[in-house]
């Protein structure tokens, strides 16, 4: 499977660069997607964020170095990219539950996190409803917030945005501005490798408002998946299934475009929604 091979090549790249700063954009190139999409795929498939996996691998090797060599701990910290002893100690204890100096003693217990290896497992899962749709560029109006390149750092940003717009009148304003397809409130992750990453909460609209931001979603081929259930859990489960079940055998790969969550009703406990991912034929 070419797709699995690309993911495992990315893992090999991580292993070859654990004593250096790992370039997430290069990981995306190896896997034929953006750094953003690689991080999302990795998290859904591995069950752990990419940054945490890298931290675990570095601390596994650092612990082995502490126990198996006479190197100074400060030098081992520098070897794995930690210029602050405090930061190294904190990272080490978060993984091993003990300070670096404590595991140097004979018989001290440490944890090992071996390198991942991805493989495709076909299983009889429930059906997924989707369509492939080509769509011209369309204009949206809404609010945005910058995102970090390490998506683990954004886990509180996006829920905070939704909480704010739900209570300050922004959602009501957006609903009044919505006048073109696709109809619904959108969460748009604009995370390509060429510009500042942003998350938009917006609607498709031909209207203007000086207090809102305009963005044009480019022309793409989209894989559009239908879902329903209590959010955000239901939409996260659907996105995980897209990555782990549909994408590996679909004949498509990510295109360099935004991801869209399209909410079709206003009841978060019984939401109807769509997930749009930009794709292209392999």
């Amino acid at each position: 499977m070419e797709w699995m091979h690309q993911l495992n090549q990315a893992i090999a790249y991580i292993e070859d660069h654990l004593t250096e700063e790992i370039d997430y954009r290069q990981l995306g190139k190896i896997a034929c997607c953006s750094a953003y999409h690689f991080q999302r795929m990795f998290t859904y498939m591995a069950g752990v964020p990419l940054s945490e996996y890298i931290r675990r691998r570095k601390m596994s090797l650092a612990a082995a170095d502490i126990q198996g060599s006479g190197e100074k701990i400060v030098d081992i910290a520098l070897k794995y990219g930690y210029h602050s002893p405090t930061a190294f100690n904190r990272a080490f204890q978060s993984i091993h539950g003990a300070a670096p100096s404590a595991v140097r003693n004979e018989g001290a217990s440490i944890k090992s996190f071996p390198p991942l290896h991805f493989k495709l497992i076909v299983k009889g899962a429930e059906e997924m409803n989707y369509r492939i749709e080509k769509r011209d560029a369309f204009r949206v109006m809404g609010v945005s917030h910058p995102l970090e390149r390490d998506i683990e750092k954004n886990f509180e940003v996006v829920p905070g945005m939704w909480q704010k717009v739900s209570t300050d009148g922004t959602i009501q304003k957006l609903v009044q501005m919505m006048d073109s397809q696709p109809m619904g409130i959108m969460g748009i992750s604009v995370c390509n490798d060429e510009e500042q990453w942003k998350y938009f909460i917006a609607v498709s609209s031909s209207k203007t408002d000086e207090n809102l931001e305009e963005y044009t979603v480019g022309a793409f081929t989209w894989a559009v998946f239908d879902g329903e259930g209590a959010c955000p859990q239901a939409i996260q489960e659907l996105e995980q299934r897209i990555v782990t079940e549909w994408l590996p055998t679909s004949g498509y790969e990510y295109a360099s475009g935004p991801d869209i969550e399209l909410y079709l009703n206003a009841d978060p406990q019984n939401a109807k929604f769509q997930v749009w991912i930009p794709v292209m034929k392999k």
Side-chain angles (χ1 to χ4, degrees):
M1 281 286 180
E2 179 183 359
W3 194 73
M4 288 295 164
H5 175 72
Q6 291 166 347
L7 286 176
N8 286 317
Q9 288 293 103
I11 294 296
Y13 174 87
I14 292 173
E15 289 299 305
D16 290 341
H17 294 81
L18 283 172
T19 57
E20 307 168 22
E21 183 175 353
I22 294 174
D23 186 345
Y24 285 13
R25 288 181 297 180
Q26 183 61 28
L27 290 172
K29 289 178 182 178
I30 294 170
C32 298
C33 61
S34 68
Y36 171 78
H37 283 132
F38 180 82
Q39 290 183 75
R40 293 196 73 183
M41 285 193 300
F42 185 95
T43 299
Y44 284 136
M45 298 189 72
V48 61
L50 176 61
S51 58
E52 176 62 18
Y53 171 76
I54 293 171
R55 187 180 303 117
R56 291 179 181 181
R57 287 295 300 135
K58 286 188 174 188
M59 292 304 102
S60 290
L61 297 182
D65 287 350
I66 290 171
Q67 289 196 330
S69 75
E71 289 182 87
K72 295 179 179 179
I73 291 176
V74 67
D75 292 334
I76 293 172
L78 287 170
K79 177 180 178 180
Y80 292 102
Y82 289 83
H83 298 279
S84 163
T86 301
F88 178 72
N89 287 345
R90 187 184 303 116
F92 193 93
Q93 290 196 56
S94 72
I95 300 300
H96 298 288
S101 57
V103 305
R104 178 150 269 173
N105 301 327
E106 184 176 349
S109 177
I110 58 174
K111 295 179 181 179
S112 175
F113 294 92
L116 283 174
H117 180 79
F118 291 109
K119 62 180 179 180
L120 178 64
I121 298 177
V122 179
K123 57 183 180 180
E126 61 188 79
E127 66 183 19
M128 298 180 72
N129 298 315
Y130 78 95
R131 67 182 185 274
I132 301 297
E133 176 180 319
K134 290 185 177 180
R135 181 176 285 272
D136 292 337
F138 59 92
R139 174 182 179 273
V140 301
M141 294 291 293
V143 294
S144 75
H145 195 287
L147 297 177
E148 297 286 343
R149 294 275 171 168
D150 180 347
I151 64 173
E152 187 179 4
K153 297 178 180 178
N154 299 315
F155 290 161
E156 295 182 2
V157 171
V158 172
M161 283 185 67
W162 282 103
Q163 178 65 28
K164 184 176 185 299
V165 300
S166 298
T167 57
D168 68 2
T170 301
I171 288 292
Q172 290 81 358
K173 178 186 287 189
L174 292 177
V175 169
Q176 293 172 0
M177 294 191 67
M178 182 170 53
D179 64 2
S180 52
Q181 295 293 332
M183 298 292 282
I185 303 292
M186 286 176 274
I188 307 173
S189 300
V190 182
C191 300
N192 58 54
D193 290 340
E194 287 74 43
E195 59 185 333
Q196 166 69 53
W197 288 9
K198 285 184 176 183
Y199 185 81
F200 283 85
I201 297 175
V203 295
S204 182
S205 177
S206 61
K207 302 175 183 178
T208 59
D209 187 305
E210 62 181 12
N211 295 316
L212 298 176
E213 184 175 351
E214 176 183 343
Y215 179 74
T216 299
V217 177
F220 286 100
T221 297
W222 302 90
V224 182
F225 297 81
D226 296 308
E228 59 182 42
C231 284
Q233 295 89 346
I235 201 161
Q236 291 171 351
E237 289 171 1
L238 176 57
E239 289 171 345
Q240 182 174 24
R241 291 190 62 206
I242 291 169
V243 169
T244 59
E245 298 176 25
W246 181 80
L247 195 59
T249 57
S250 66
Y252 289 90
E253 61 188 15
Y254 277 113
S256 183
D259 284 8
I260 299 175
E261 301 164 358
L262 178 64
Y263 295 93
L264 305 174
N265 67 352
D267 181 2
Q269 297 305 311
N270 189 29
K272 295 185 184 299
F273 55 82
Q274 294 176 344
V275 172
W276 294 39
I277 63 170
V279 295
M280 58 185 178
K281 276 287 190 181
K282 290 183 179 178

